[in-house]
């Protein structure tokens, strides 16, 4: 009897709420999140353009481009949710904006160590860029050997009817730093290798130190050739 009851109930609901109506309800519920992610995408494009312009400008005076390549990434919904739960951030779009600084990410990979700081200084001198936080993991590497310069900035995006300030995490690193970080990530997350194993963690640290030494030597060679 219960099965028949629920079958009739489901049929009744299907008559009242069509699949199209369900889709509209879902779209309505998720629209604030979709809009916020679109704003973050716009902010990433703004920052990426700034670095492309700086790269072109630097090449005019030095006959070389400091940037090897630029990558952008928007944090996935799952990663956002996991961080919200882990950090106790309210599950709202307002909570995301206030409590998370790394939803939008721009990674700038440079040829030489000195290029990192030159580009960072040039970016932060722009009057529409505000530095919110700086973590220099080059001068103060993480315990596992990770090196990179992290900047949390706020920059405006210009929409058709308003201006909106958005946060973007900028990571600046050399080719060697990026190679090490990519391979370390592969080992840790893709290969499912336990990096708490002392021999593995020590090997990764040695590789990180070797990459840092290569960056130091190459930077010196580069400066002598200028």
């Amino acid at each position: 009897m219960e099965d028949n009851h629920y079958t009739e109930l489901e049929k009744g609901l299907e008559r009242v709420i069509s699949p199209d109506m369900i889709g509209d309800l879902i779209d309505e519920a998720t629209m604030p999140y979709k809009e916020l992610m679109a704003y973050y995408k716009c902010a990433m494009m703004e920052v990426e353009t700034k670095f492309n312009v700086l790269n072109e400008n630097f090449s005019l005076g030095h006959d070389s481009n400091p940037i090897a390549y630029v990558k952008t990434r928007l944090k996935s919904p799952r990663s956002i949710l996991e961080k919200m739960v882990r950090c106790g951030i309210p599950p709202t779009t307002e909570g995301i904006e206030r409590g998370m600084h790394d939803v939008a990410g721009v990674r700038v990979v440079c040829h030489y160590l000195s290029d990192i700081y030159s580009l960072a200084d040039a970016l932060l001198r722009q009057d529409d860029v505000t530095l919110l936080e700086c973590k220099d993991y080059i001068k103060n590497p993480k315990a596992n050997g990770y090196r990179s310069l992290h900047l949390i900035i706020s920059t405006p995006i210009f929409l058709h009817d308003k201006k909106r300030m958005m946060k973007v995490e900028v990571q600046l690193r050399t080719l060697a730093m990026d190679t090490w970080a990519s391979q370390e990530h592969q080992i840790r997350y893709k290969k499912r290798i336990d990096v708490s194993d002392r021999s593995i963690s020590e090997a990764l640290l040695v590789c990180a130190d070797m990459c840092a030494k290569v960056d130091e030597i190459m930077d010196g060679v580069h400066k002598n050739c200028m």
Side-chain angles (χ1 to χ4, degrees):
M1 291 294 294
E2 289 185 0
D3 289 342
N4 290 336
H5 170 73
Y6 281 114
T7 299
E8 291 301 318
L9 179 60
E10 289 168 359
K11 289 180 178 179
L13 287 173
E14 287 175 359
R15 287 193 291 269
V16 176
I17 305 177
S18 68
D20 288 342
M21 290 176 65
I22 293 174
D24 290 342
L25 289 171
I26 293 173
D27 286 342
E28 183 178 347
T30 59
M31 185 55 67
Y33 174 81
K34 290 180 179 178
E35 287 183 354
L36 181 59
M37 292 303 107
Y39 296 154
Y40 277 120
K41 287 180 182 177
C42 291
M44 289 191 303
M45 288 190 286
E46 289 280 355
V47 175
E48 183 178 16
T49 298
K50 287 178 179 294
F51 278 110
N52 287 334
V53 171
L54 286 172
N55 194 41
E56 186 64 25
N57 180 248
F58 271 68
S59 69
L60 294 175
H62 302 91
D63 294 326
S64 64
N65 298 95
I67 299 176
Y69 51 87
V70 178
K71 292 182 178 179
T72 62
R73 71 100 183 95
L74 190 68
K75 212 171 186 66
S76 69
R78 179 172 181 174
S79 295
I80 290 174
L81 181 59
E82 287 176 348
K83 186 164 186 177
M84 293 173 80
V85 172
R86 187 170 66 251
C87 299
I89 298 170
T92 62
T93 53
E94 291 80 7
I96 292 173
E97 282 198 86
R98 292 180 183 178
M100 298 183 68
H101 296 167
D102 61 346
V103 175
V106 176
R107 181 179 301 163
V108 183
V109 180
C110 303
H111 292 287
Y112 301 103
L113 189 60
S114 54
D115 291 334
I116 291 174
Y117 295 100
S118 296
L119 285 167
D121 289 343
L123 175 70
L124 297 178
R125 282 198 301 268
Q126 299 186 18
D127 56 15
D128 62 345
V129 174
T130 301
L131 177 65
L132 303 178
E133 185 179 350
C134 175
K135 292 183 178 179
D136 193 336
Y137 295 118
I138 299 174
K139 295 179 179 177
N140 301 289
K142 289 187 177 182
N144 68 342
Y146 175 85
R147 288 169 170 81
S148 186
L149 178 64
H150 288 202
L151 307 175
I152 305 298
I153 64 169
S154 177
T155 191
I157 58 171
F158 297 91
L159 307 170
H160 73 281
D161 59 346
K162 61 184 175 180
K163 179 177 79 171
R164 185 183 178 103
M165 300 301 294
M166 300 299 298
K167 297 174 186 174
V168 178
E169 181 189 53
V170 178
Q171 298 178 358
L172 297 107
R173 57 178 68 162
T174 64
L175 286 161
M177 294 175 194
D178 192 54
T179 298
W180 181 91
S182 297
Q183 292 179 327
E184 191 267 352
H185 180 78
Q186 284 284 330
I187 291 172
R188 182 185 295 272
Y189 296 105
K190 304 297 183 181
K191 300 298 184 181
R192 304 296 181 184
I193 294 176
D194 183 10
V195 294
S196 64
D197 182 286
R198 185 172 178 178
S199 62
I200 295 175
S201 61
E202 287 180 351
L204 289 170
L205 187 57
V206 168
C207 290
D209 290 340
M210 291 173 67
C211 288
K213 189 62 178 178
V214 168
D215 275 333
E216 182 183 340
I217 295 170
M218 292 300 293
D219 200 54
V221 172
H222 173 63
K223 289 177 179 177
N224 289 333
C225 293
M226 292 176 64

